[in-house]
mmCIF file of all heavy atoms in Angstrom:
data_model
loop_
_atom_site.group_PDB
_atom_site.id
_atom_site.type_symbol
_atom_site.label_atom_id
_atom_site.label_comp_id
_atom_site.label_asym_id
_atom_site.label_seq_id
_atom_site.Cartn_x
_atom_site.Cartn_y
_atom_site.Cartn_z
ATOM 1 N N LYS B 11 -70.148 -51.369 -8.247
ATOM 2 C CA LYS B 11 -71.110 -51.050 -9.300
ATOM 3 C C LYS B 11 -71.844 -52.326 -9.691
ATOM 4 O O LYS B 11 -71.223 -53.303 -10.121
ATOM 5 C CB LYS B 11 -70.391 -50.450 -10.518
ATOM 6 C CG LYS B 11 -71.289 -50.136 -11.678
ATOM 7 C CD LYS B 11 -72.058 -48.863 -11.453
ATOM 8 C CE LYS B 11 -73.123 -48.653 -12.511
ATOM 9 N NZ LYS B 11 -73.918 -47.446 -12.280
ATOM 10 N N LEU B 12 -73.138 -52.327 -9.523
ATOM 11 C CA LEU B 12 -73.947 -53.504 -9.862
ATOM 12 C C LEU B 12 -74.775 -53.209 -11.096
ATOM 13 O O LEU B 12 -75.259 -52.101 -11.282
ATOM 14 C CB LEU B 12 -74.887 -53.849 -8.699
ATOM 15 C CG LEU B 12 -74.262 -54.011 -7.319
ATOM 16 C CD1 LEU B 12 -75.338 -54.307 -6.282
ATOM 17 C CD2 LEU B 12 -73.220 -55.124 -7.339
ATOM 18 N N TYR B 13 -74.901 -54.210 -11.951
ATOM 19 C CA TYR B 13 -75.819 -54.110 -13.096
ATOM 20 C C TYR B 13 -76.854 -55.209 -12.956
ATOM 21 O O TYR B 13 -76.511 -56.346 -12.616
ATOM 22 C CB TYR B 13 -75.069 -54.310 -14.414
ATOM 23 C CG TYR B 13 -74.193 -53.156 -14.826
ATOM 24 C CD1 TYR B 13 -72.809 -53.297 -14.884
ATOM 25 C CD2 TYR B 13 -74.745 -51.918 -15.178
ATOM 26 C CE1 TYR B 13 -71.994 -52.244 -15.283
ATOM 27 C CE2 TYR B 13 -73.930 -50.862 -15.573
ATOM 28 C CZ TYR B 13 -72.565 -51.039 -15.617
ATOM 29 O OH TYR B 13 -71.774 -50.007 -16.013
ATOM 30 N N ARG B 14 -78.089 -54.864 -13.184
ATOM 31 C CA ARG B 14 -79.135 -55.872 -13.143
ATOM 32 C C ARG B 14 -79.330 -56.414 -14.559
ATOM 33 O O ARG B 14 -79.527 -55.652 -15.504
ATOM 34 C CB ARG B 14 -80.441 -55.243 -12.644
ATOM 35 C CG ARG B 14 -81.472 -56.248 -12.180
ATOM 36 C CD ARG B 14 -82.700 -55.535 -11.645
ATOM 37 N NE ARG B 14 -82.413 -54.724 -10.465
ATOM 38 C CZ ARG B 14 -82.290 -55.224 -9.231
ATOM 39 N NH1 ARG B 14 -82.450 -56.512 -9.029
ATOM 40 N NH2 ARG B 14 -82.039 -54.439 -8.217
ATOM 41 N N MET B 15 -79.177 -57.712 -14.719
ATOM 42 C CA MET B 15 -79.391 -58.345 -16.025
ATOM 43 C C MET B 15 -80.542 -59.319 -15.874
ATOM 44 O O MET B 15 -80.335 -60.469 -15.466
ATOM 45 C CB MET B 15 -78.133 -59.098 -16.473
ATOM 46 C CG MET B 15 -76.982 -58.194 -16.869
ATOM 47 S SD MET B 15 -77.265 -57.353 -18.418
ATOM 48 C CE MET B 15 -76.947 -58.681 -19.559
ATOM 49 N N VAL B 20 -75.045 -58.440 -11.896
ATOM 50 C CA VAL B 20 -73.630 -58.534 -12.258
ATOM 51 C C VAL B 20 -72.848 -57.562 -11.367
ATOM 52 O O VAL B 20 -73.187 -56.383 -11.297
ATOM 53 C CB VAL B 20 -73.419 -58.156 -13.741
ATOM 54 C CG1 VAL B 20 -71.948 -58.222 -14.098
ATOM 55 C CG2 VAL B 20 -74.234 -59.048 -14.650
ATOM 56 N N ARG B 21 -71.822 -58.075 -10.691
ATOM 57 C CA ARG B 21 -70.966 -57.200 -9.884
ATOM 58 C C ARG B 21 -69.818 -56.716 -10.773
ATOM 59 O O ARG B 21 -68.758 -57.319 -10.809
ATOM 60 C CB ARG B 21 -70.400 -57.959 -8.684
ATOM 61 C CG ARG B 21 -71.433 -58.263 -7.644
ATOM 62 C CD ARG B 21 -70.840 -58.889 -6.393
ATOM 63 N NE ARG B 21 -71.852 -58.833 -5.342
ATOM 64 C CZ ARG B 21 -71.948 -57.829 -4.462
ATOM 65 N NH1 ARG B 21 -71.086 -56.840 -4.483
ATOM 66 N NH2 ARG B 21 -72.916 -57.825 -3.566
ATOM 67 N N ALA B 22 -70.033 -55.654 -11.518
ATOM 68 C CA ALA B 22 -69.008 -55.152 -12.439
ATOM 69 C C ALA B 22 -67.822 -54.609 -11.645
ATOM 70 O O ALA B 22 -66.672 -54.785 -12.042
ATOM 71 C CB ALA B 22 -69.594 -54.076 -13.338
ATOM 72 N N LEU B 23 -68.098 -53.934 -10.529
ATOM 73 C CA LEU B 23 -67.037 -53.518 -9.603
ATOM 74 C C LEU B 23 -67.451 -53.994 -8.216
ATOM 75 O O LEU B 23 -68.597 -53.804 -7.807
ATOM 76 C CB LEU B 23 -66.870 -51.996 -9.592
ATOM 77 C CG LEU B 23 -66.283 -51.351 -10.850
ATOM 78 C CD1 LEU B 23 -66.231 -49.840 -10.678
ATOM 79 C CD2 LEU B 23 -64.898 -51.890 -11.153
ATOM 80 N N GLY B 40 -56.380 -56.640 -17.231
ATOM 81 C CA GLY B 40 -57.260 -57.681 -16.713
ATOM 82 C C GLY B 40 -58.053 -58.289 -17.842
ATOM 83 O O GLY B 40 -58.186 -57.685 -18.913
ATOM 84 N N PRO B 41 -58.576 -59.504 -17.636
ATOM 85 C CA PRO B 41 -59.321 -60.162 -18.705
ATOM 86 C C PRO B 41 -60.594 -59.404 -19.063
ATOM 87 O O PRO B 41 -61.047 -58.551 -18.304
ATOM 88 C CB PRO B 41 -59.644 -61.534 -18.125
ATOM 89 C CG PRO B 41 -59.427 -61.432 -16.658
ATOM 90 C CD PRO B 41 -58.482 -60.316 -16.423
ATOM 91 N N SER B 42 -61.146 -59.738 -20.216
ATOM 92 C CA SER B 42 -62.382 -59.115 -20.671
ATOM 93 C C SER B 42 -63.491 -59.383 -19.658
ATOM 94 O O SER B 42 -63.604 -60.491 -19.137
ATOM 95 C CB SER B 42 -62.735 -59.699 -22.039
ATOM 96 O OG SER B 42 -63.944 -59.178 -22.462
ATOM 97 N N GLY B 43 -64.259 -58.360 -19.334
ATOM 98 C CA GLY B 43 -65.352 -58.522 -18.387
ATOM 99 C C GLY B 43 -64.938 -58.346 -16.939
ATOM 100 O O GLY B 43 -65.746 -58.537 -16.030
ATOM 101 N N SER B 44 -63.668 -57.948 -16.688
ATOM 102 C CA SER B 44 -63.201 -57.835 -15.305
ATOM 103 C C SER B 44 -63.587 -56.501 -14.662
ATOM 104 O O SER B 44 -63.314 -56.291 -13.483
ATOM 105 C CB SER B 44 -61.691 -58.044 -15.241
ATOM 106 O OG SER B 44 -61.036 -57.140 -16.098
ATOM 107 N N GLY B 45 -64.183 -55.600 -15.454
ATOM 108 C CA GLY B 45 -64.669 -54.354 -14.868
ATOM 109 C C GLY B 45 -63.840 -53.127 -15.194
ATOM 110 O O GLY B 45 -64.056 -52.047 -14.636
ATOM 111 N N LYS B 46 -62.911 -53.253 -16.140
ATOM 112 C CA LYS B 46 -62.017 -52.135 -16.459
ATOM 113 C C LYS B 46 -62.792 -50.941 -17.009
ATOM 114 O O LYS B 46 -62.601 -49.811 -16.573
ATOM 115 C CB LYS B 46 -60.959 -52.596 -17.476
ATOM 116 C CG LYS B 46 -60.168 -53.810 -17.051
ATOM 117 C CD LYS B 46 -59.084 -54.170 -18.054
ATOM 118 C CE LYS B 46 -59.613 -54.547 -19.433
ATOM 119 N NZ LYS B 46 -60.375 -55.815 -19.456
ATOM 120 N N SER B 47 -63.660 -51.211 -17.993
ATOM 121 C CA SER B 47 -64.402 -50.101 -18.602
ATOM 122 C C SER B 47 -65.354 -49.464 -17.588
ATOM 123 O O SER B 47 -65.496 -48.239 -17.549
ATOM 124 C CB SER B 47 -65.190 -50.588 -19.817
ATOM 125 O OG SER B 47 -64.290 -50.963 -20.841
ATOM 126 N N THR B 48 -65.977 -50.305 -16.757
ATOM 127 C CA THR B 48 -66.873 -49.772 -15.735
ATOM 128 C C THR B 48 -66.099 -48.827 -14.808
ATOM 129 O O THR B 48 -66.552 -47.731 -14.481
ATOM 130 C CB THR B 48 -67.476 -50.934 -14.915
ATOM 131 O OG1 THR B 48 -68.072 -51.855 -15.824
ATOM 132 C CG2 THR B 48 -68.516 -50.433 -13.949
ATOM 133 N N MET B 49 -64.894 -49.254 -14.432
ATOM 134 C CA MET B 49 -64.043 -48.424 -13.580
ATOM 135 C C MET B 49 -63.728 -47.088 -14.252
ATOM 136 O O MET B 49 -63.776 -46.033 -13.606
ATOM 137 C CB MET B 49 -62.746 -49.175 -13.296
ATOM 138 C CG MET B 49 -61.745 -48.309 -12.610
ATOM 139 S SD MET B 49 -61.551 -48.789 -10.932
ATOM 140 C CE MET B 49 -59.936 -49.482 -11.035
ATOM 141 N N MET B 50 -63.411 -47.145 -15.540
ATOM 142 C CA MET B 50 -63.088 -45.910 -16.257
ATOM 143 C C MET B 50 -64.298 -44.984 -16.298
ATOM 144 O O MET B 50 -64.163 -43.773 -16.161
ATOM 145 C CB MET B 50 -62.638 -46.231 -17.691
ATOM 146 C CG MET B 50 -61.353 -46.990 -17.761
ATOM 147 S SD MET B 50 -60.012 -46.110 -16.968
ATOM 148 C CE MET B 50 -59.179 -45.496 -18.392
ATOM 149 N N HIS B 51 -65.488 -45.568 -16.502
ATOM 150 C CA HIS B 51 -66.685 -44.732 -16.566
ATOM 151 C C HIS B 51 -66.960 -44.054 -15.234
ATOM 152 O O HIS B 51 -67.339 -42.892 -15.197
ATOM 153 C CB HIS B 51 -67.898 -45.577 -16.998
ATOM 154 C CG HIS B 51 -67.826 -45.970 -18.439
ATOM 155 N ND1 HIS B 51 -68.441 -47.093 -18.942
ATOM 156 C CD2 HIS B 51 -67.186 -45.392 -19.480
ATOM 157 C CE1 HIS B 51 -68.180 -47.187 -20.231
ATOM 158 N NE2 HIS B 51 -67.426 -46.164 -20.587
ATOM 159 N N ASP B 57 -70.525 -42.251 -15.047
ATOM 160 C CA ASP B 57 -71.448 -43.181 -14.398
ATOM 161 C C ASP B 57 -71.258 -43.050 -12.889
ATOM 162 O O ASP B 57 -70.153 -42.759 -12.431
ATOM 163 C CB ASP B 57 -71.080 -44.613 -14.852
ATOM 164 C CG ASP B 57 -72.306 -45.501 -14.892
ATOM 165 O OD1 ASP B 57 -73.355 -45.089 -14.356
ATOM 166 O OD2 ASP B 57 -72.194 -46.603 -15.459
ATOM 167 N N ASP B 166 -59.359 -45.764 -22.551
ATOM 168 C CA ASP B 166 -59.829 -47.152 -22.514
ATOM 169 C C ASP B 166 -59.396 -47.855 -23.794
ATOM 170 O O ASP B 166 -59.972 -47.624 -24.851
ATOM 171 C CB ASP B 166 -61.357 -47.171 -22.363
ATOM 172 C CG ASP B 166 -61.873 -48.549 -21.938
ATOM 173 O OD1 ASP B 166 -61.083 -49.511 -21.962
ATOM 174 O OD2 ASP B 166 -63.059 -48.644 -21.586
ATOM 175 N N VAL B 197 -56.335 -48.087 -19.771
ATOM 176 C CA VAL B 197 -56.717 -49.501 -19.779
ATOM 177 C C VAL B 197 -56.112 -50.164 -20.999
ATOM 178 O O VAL B 197 -56.183 -49.615 -22.104
ATOM 179 C CB VAL B 197 -58.252 -49.657 -19.833
ATOM 180 C CG1 VAL B 197 -58.635 -51.092 -20.206
ATOM 181 C CG2 VAL B 197 -58.866 -49.302 -18.484
ATOM 182 N N MET B 213 -56.990 -56.324 -12.669
ATOM 183 C CA MET B 213 -58.346 -56.563 -12.179
ATOM 184 C C MET B 213 -58.828 -57.953 -12.575
ATOM 185 O O MET B 213 -58.413 -58.498 -13.608
ATOM 186 C CB MET B 213 -59.301 -55.520 -12.764
ATOM 187 C CG MET B 213 -59.005 -54.115 -12.275
ATOM 188 S SD MET B 213 -60.279 -52.977 -12.784
ATOM 189 C CE MET B 213 -61.664 -53.560 -11.823
ATOM 190 N N GLY B 216 -64.169 -57.804 -11.181
ATOM 191 C CA GLY B 216 -64.578 -56.583 -10.487
ATOM 192 C C GLY B 216 -63.734 -56.207 -9.290
ATOM 193 O O GLY B 216 -64.064 -55.285 -8.553
HETATM 194 P P1 LIG F 401 -64.020 -54.900 -19.238
HETATM 195 O O1 LIG F 401 -63.941 -53.521 -19.718
HETATM 196 O O2 LIG F 401 -62.937 -55.262 -18.259
HETATM 197 O O3 LIG F 401 -64.075 -55.891 -20.328
HETATM 198 P P2 LIG F 401 -66.647 -54.147 -18.307
HETATM 199 O O4 LIG F 401 -66.422 -53.109 -17.266
HETATM 200 O O5 LIG F 401 -67.071 -53.683 -19.640
HETATM 201 O O6 LIG F 401 -65.374 -55.107 -18.392
HETATM 202 O O7 LIG F 401 -67.738 -55.157 -17.754
HETATM 203 C C1 LIG F 401 -67.686 -55.747 -16.471
HETATM 204 C C2 LIG F 401 -68.916 -56.608 -16.295
HETATM 205 O O8 LIG F 401 -70.080 -55.804 -16.212
HETATM 206 C C3 LIG F 401 -69.147 -57.590 -17.439
HETATM 207 O O9 LIG F 401 -69.614 -58.789 -16.920
HETATM 208 C C4 LIG F 401 -70.201 -56.889 -18.266
HETATM 209 O O10 LIG F 401 -71.002 -57.848 -18.939
HETATM 210 C C5 LIG F 401 -70.994 -56.143 -17.233
HETATM 211 N N1 LIG F 401 -71.563 -54.895 -17.750
HETATM 212 C C6 LIG F 401 -70.879 -53.834 -18.170
HETATM 213 N N2 LIG F 401 -71.710 -52.835 -18.560
HETATM 214 C C7 LIG F 401 -72.970 -53.303 -18.379
HETATM 215 C C8 LIG F 401 -74.282 -52.761 -18.579
HETATM 216 N N3 LIG F 401 -74.462 -51.516 -19.045
HETATM 217 N N4 LIG F 401 -75.346 -53.542 -18.274
HETATM 218 C C9 LIG F 401 -75.181 -54.769 -17.787
HETATM 219 N N5 LIG F 401 -73.974 -55.345 -17.562
HETATM 220 C C10 LIG F 401 -72.885 -54.636 -17.839
#
Side-chain angles (χ1 to χ4, degrees):
K11 178 78 189 178
L12 307 178
Y13 287 114
R14 197 177 297 281
M15 289 288 283
V20 179
R21 289 186 166 267
L23 290 178
S42 177
S44 56
K46 305 183 298 292
S47 293
T48 306
M49 171 108 109
M50 294 302 257
H51 289 154
D57 211 348
D166 196 349
V197 165
M213 294 188 68

